[in-house]
């Protein structure tokens, strides 16, 4: 049974056209994360929510926004996608933050974004 | 913030051979996580190490944490084609209770 679901798996958008990626979880975890992964690179943390508390990484561009309307869902909004935003976007969840028991992150299959 | 360096970047081994992948942190580790990723897919959690000297095994994969060296190793015994993929280490990026950051990964190919 899928625990972290990402839709769509593949998304094509035009340069400058807003796009939203979605993530849902059936694990009832407190924390939800969004990572950006480009080819042959490490996943780069964009932001995370602990419950309703939003935590933005300092180097995440303003072009990237997120919403978490409830425990199960989290959205990544890219307001004006540029060619450099083409990447795999990974959603993950965990019960707690890193270091303690329950902090292992469970990932969705990712959404591959293409910008034309 | 912390950085994780993995070595080697890529590895090709013959089926049945043993191999080791290393992950070195630039700062004190507050937990070390190993994940596997198949190309174009999400990351699959393998195991988590919390304390120095800790060692965990899952099937033919063993991971150890050397806290003093700020380093972890992942060892695969008698590799199989199913072990092929990208192995990534992760750790809390800014100390305990923070989100994970990841190394660039080690790509493993197993030839039969």
């Amino acid at each position: 049974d899928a625990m972290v679901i990402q839709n769509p798996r593949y998304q094509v958008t035009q340069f400058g056209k807003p796009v939203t990626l979605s993530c849902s979880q059936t694990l009832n975890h407190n924390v939800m994360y969004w990572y950006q992964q480009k080819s042959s690179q490490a996943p780069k943390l964009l932001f995370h929510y602990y419950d309703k508390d939003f935590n933005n990484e300092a180097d995440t561009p303003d072009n990237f926004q997120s919403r978490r309307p409830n425990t199960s869902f989290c959205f990544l909004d890219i307001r004006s996608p540029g060619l450099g935003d083409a990447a795999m976007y990974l959603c993950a969840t965990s019960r707690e933050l890193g270091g303690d028991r329950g902090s292992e992150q469970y990932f969705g299959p990712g959404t591959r974004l293409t910008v034309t | 913030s912390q950085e994780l360096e993995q070595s080697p970047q890529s590895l090709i081994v013959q089926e049945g051979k043993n191999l080791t992948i290393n992950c070195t942190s630039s700062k004190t580790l507050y937990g070390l996580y190993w994940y596997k990723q198949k190309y174009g897919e999400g990351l699959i959690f393998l195991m988590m190490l919390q304390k120095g000297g800790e060692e965990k095994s899952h099937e033919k994969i063993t991971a150890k944490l050397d806290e003093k060296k700020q380093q972890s190793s992942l060892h695969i015994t008698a590799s199989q084609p199913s072990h092929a993929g990208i192995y990534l280490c992760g750790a809390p990026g800014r100390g305990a209770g923070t989100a994970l950051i990841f190394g660039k990964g080690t790509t493993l190919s197993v030839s039969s």
Side-chain angles (χ1 to χ4, degrees), chain A residues 19-39:
Chain A
V19 66
T20 295
L21 309 182
S22 79
C23 177
S24 64
Q25 56 137 337
T26 59
L27 296 163
N28 203 33
H29 280 171
N30 293 315
V31 196
M32 293 187 79
Y33 311 79
W34 281 104
Y35 287 85
Q36 178 194 65
Q37 187 179 29
K38 296 187 178 180
S39 183

Side-chain angles (χ1 to χ4, degrees), chain A residues 23 25 29-35 45-57 64-77 91-97 105, chain B residues 98-99:
Chain A
C23 177
Q25 56 137 337
H29 280 171
N30 293 315
V31 196
M32 293 187 79
Y33 311 79
W34 281 104
Y35 287 85
L45 180 65
L46 297 174
F47 24 58
H48 73 273
Y49 275 95
Y50 189 107
D51 196 12
K52 294 181 181 178
D53 291 334
F54 178 68
N55 296 269
N56 198 30
E57 292 300 297
F64 291 85
Q65 304 285 316
S66 186
R67 296 170 281 136
R68 189 179 184 186
N70 54 52
T71 302
S72 302
F73 285 86
C74 194
F75 300 98
L76 170 62
D77 300 310
C91 173
T93 75
S94 66
R95 189 157 49 83
E96 292 298 334
L97 285 164
Q105 293 177 201
Chain B
T98 62

Side-chain angles (χ1 to χ4, degrees), chain A residues 75-91:
Chain A
F75 300 98
L76 170 62
D77 300 310
I78 308 177
R79 294 196 292 194
S80 181
L83 297 178
D85 295 329
M88 174 78 91
Y89 289 87
L90 296 165
C91 173

